[in-house]
């Protein structure tokens, strides 16, 4: 938190990006190290908070699997390519995707607090020219059907408060824009991001704010993360979670039930469980749909209805996510 003295930018600078340093820290054997690869286009990048949650010497740890590049990424699989969900076709300006009625998605930045190995945007050709979003704001201003703007990325919380504030105020000044949504994984790795300065951005903001975090495993939601999110909830921000069904990470009814229960115990709504998007290099994470459906069915026998997410897949060209 801000009162602990270190700013989120300081914490971010401590991210581990050198795999040898990580391997040493995790006490990996020479044999285990042979599974790790350096991927230059989407390198290792993990906050210390998450690295410290990985069990030592265990390549099967669910957090290790999410963040550490291994030789499995170099296995080519049919059907896995660079634009599996047709993002390129819905690009209305360099940083704006308009795929669904009423909702426009802003690619605020390519930067993230962490690199998730299964990420469907890891091959995306980001436009990183400026942070003023002039062209995107023009498109939104001239389309009265857009009632909600989603700040996505990358991770929108990579932007400094200065740029976020300008963007949020510009959006609030557009009469037909009623809702602002954040898609962010930042607080899972660096909860320090939700500091006083950030929280102040929501004072006097004339928009309903929905915050969609991304957490795949209950171990990601520790007390500091939950406390930071609670401060945001006290500002009247509604928090949802969307996450991805991942082989070896959360393809287990116990893990999913624990995650969902932890969320609802902290008034976080389990929104979407996504079927993996078939991006190049992520085949080893895929769980067959039938297995996912069985997991949802099992969850329904254990949890309140509102604690069970919608299991969905993104199909290129469809007018909404597709229910599975
Ligand atoms: C997923 C997505 C949204 C949001 O969809 P919801 O069903 O409203 O959560 C909006 N725009 C794009 C381009 C998306 O991929
Ligand atoms: S934080 Fe989100 S956008 Fe960034 S690498 Fe992870 S999944 Fe991808």
């Amino acid at each position: 938190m801000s009162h602990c003295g270190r700013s989120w930018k300081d914490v971010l600078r401590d991210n581990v990006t050198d795999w040898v340093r990580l391997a040493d820290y995790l006490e990996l054997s020479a044999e285990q190290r042979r599974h790790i690869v350096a991927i230059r286009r989407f390198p290792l990048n993990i906050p210390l908070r998450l690295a410290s949650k990985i069990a030592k010497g265990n390549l099967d740890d669910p957090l290790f699997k999410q963040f550490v590049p291994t030789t499995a990424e170099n296995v080519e699989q049919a059907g896995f390519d660079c634009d599996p969900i047709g993002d390129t076709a819905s690009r209305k300006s360099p940083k704006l995707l308009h795929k669904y009625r009423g909702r426009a998605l802003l690619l605020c930045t390519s930067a993230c607090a962490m690199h998730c190995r299964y990420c469907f945007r890891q091959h995306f050709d980001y436009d990183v020219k400026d942070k003023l979003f002039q062209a995107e704001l023009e498109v939104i201003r001239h389309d009265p059907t857009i009632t909600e703007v989603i700040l996505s990325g990358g991770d929108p919380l990579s932007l400094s408060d200065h740029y976020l504030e300008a963007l949020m105020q510009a959006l609030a000044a557009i009469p037909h824009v009623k809702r602002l949504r954040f898609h962010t994984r930042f607080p899972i790795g660096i909860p320090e991001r939700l500091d006083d300065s950030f929280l102040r951005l929501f004072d006097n903001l004339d928009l309903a704010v929905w915050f969609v975090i991304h957490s795949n495993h209950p171990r990601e939601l520790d007390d500091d993360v939950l406390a930071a999110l609670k401060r945001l909830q006290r500002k009247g921000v509604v928090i949802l979670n969307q996450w991805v069904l991942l082989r070896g990470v959360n393809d287990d009814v116990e893990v999913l039930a624990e995650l969902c229960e932890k969320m609802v115990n902290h008034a976080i709504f389990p929104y979407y469980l996504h079927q993996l998007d078939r991006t190049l290099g992520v085949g080893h994470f895929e769980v067959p749909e039938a297995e996912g459906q069985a997991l949802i069915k099992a969850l329904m026998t254990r949890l309140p209805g509102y604690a069970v997410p919608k299991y969905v897949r993104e199909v290129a060209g469809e007018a909404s996510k597709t229910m599975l």
Side-chain angles (χ1 to χ4, degrees):
M1 302 293 102
S2 54
H3 49 264
C4 295
R6 296 190 74 229
S7 79
W8 66 269
K9 289 184 181 176
D10 291 336
V11 179
L12 181 62
R13 267 190 289 274
D14 284 343
N15 272 18
V16 184
T17 54
D18 173 5
W19 77 262
V20 178
R21 184 180 157 212
L22 185 71
D24 288 345
Y25 178 71
L26 296 178
E27 299 166 12
L28 299 186
S29 67
E31 160 55 23
Q32 286 176 319
R33 283 167 202 242
R34 272 198 282 278
H35 294 277
I36 302 180
V37 289
I39 305 261
R40 200 170 309 160
R41 93 189 133 68
F42 190 60
L44 171 74
N45 184 17
I46 178 173
L48 275 177
R49 168 178 296 274
L50 290 169
S52 72
K53 292 178 183 182
I54 300 175
K56 304 277 192 247
N58 182 4
L59 303 191
D60 293 325
D61 181 277
L63 289 157
F64 183 93
K65 282 191 184 273
Q66 288 187 67
F67 298 108
V68 185
T70 63
T71 50
E73 292 186 32
N74 292 330
V75 178
E76 283 201 28
Q77 272 180 286
F80 287 75
D81 65 56
C82 286
D83 185 17
I85 58 172
D87 268 352
T88 307
S90 59
R91 222 162 164 176
K92 292 294 142 67
S93 81
K95 294 193 194 63
L96 197 74
L97 301 182
H98 193 186
K99 206 188 276 192
Y100 302 144
R101 188 180 172 85
R103 289 146 290 169
L105 185 146
L106 248 181
L107 300 160
C108 297
T109 164
S110 63
C112 291
M114 63 200 86
H115 284 169
C116 315
R117 305 319 304 173
Y118 55 86
C119 179
F120 71 100
R121 289 226 179 95
Q122 61 180 282
H123 304 281
F124 199 77
D125 179 22
Y126 284 100
D127 173 80
V128 288
K129 275 197 287 292
D130 79 287
K131 296 173 185 165
L132 301 175
F133 309 103
Q134 313 262 26
E136 291 71 27
L137 286 165
E138 271 310 290
V139 173
I140 297 166
R141 266 186 211 109
H142 287 100
D143 185 346
T145 70
I146 298 175
T147 51
E148 173 167 346
V149 175
I150 302 171
L151 306 187
S152 182
D155 198 309
L157 268 56
S158 301
L159 291 181
S160 65
D161 293 340
H162 170 77
Y163 287 109
L164 276 178
E165 179 168 33
L167 178 58
M168 287 161 70
Q169 290 303 331
L171 290 169
I174 302 173
H176 53 266
V177 174
K178 309 293 183 195
R179 300 181 306 279
L180 179 66
R181 191 194 316 183
F182 288 81
H183 280 179
T184 176
R185 188 148 158 73
F186 218 108
I188 302 304
I190 304 182
E192 293 86 349
R193 180 67 188 88
L194 306 182
D195 59 11
D196 294 341
S197 157
F198 179 75
L199 291 172
R200 266 197 300 274
L201 301 179
F202 300 93
D203 295 338
N204 310 312
L205 182 73
D206 195 17
L207 290 170
V209 182
W210 295 72
F211 216 76
V212 186
I213 60 167
H214 171 173
S215 172
N216 300 309
H217 192 279
R219 224 194 286 157
E220 297 169 23
L221 295 171
D222 64 50
D223 290 347
D224 291 341
V225 171
L226 292 166
L229 293 171
K230 181 164 213 166
R231 283 157 47 96
L232 194 58
Q233 288 169 321
R234 290 214 170 107
K235 289 277 176 181
V237 174
V238 182
I239 304 183
L240 321 179
N241 185 39
Q242 63 176 342
W243 71 105
V244 186
L245 184 59
L246 298 167
R247 176 65 87 210
V249 174
N250 57 18
D251 57 334
D252 177 281
V253 69
E254 299 297 331
V255 172
L256 288 176
E258 191 186 338
L259 177 62
C260 291
E261 195 149 17
K262 203 165 194 178
M263 281 187 255
V264 295
N265 287 348
H266 293 85
I268 297 167
F269 181 75
Y271 180 36
Y272 281 148
L273 174 63
H274 290 273
Q275 179 66 9
L276 181 77
D277 292 316
R278 306 186 100 193
T279 304
L280 209 61
V282 304
H284 55 293
F285 282 117
E286 191 168 58
V287 179
E289 278 176 31
E291 244 180 86
Q293 284 160 337
L295 285 164
I296 293 289
K297 221 169 168 181
L299 283 180
M300 288 181 72
T301 67
R302 302 170 55 136
L303 298 171
Y306 62 82
V308 180
K310 290 180 185 153
Y311 180 37
V312 295
R313 200 158 90 88
E314 181 117 12
V315 179
E318 289 295 312
S320 73
K321 311 278 187 238
T322 302
M323 292 280 276
L324 292 175

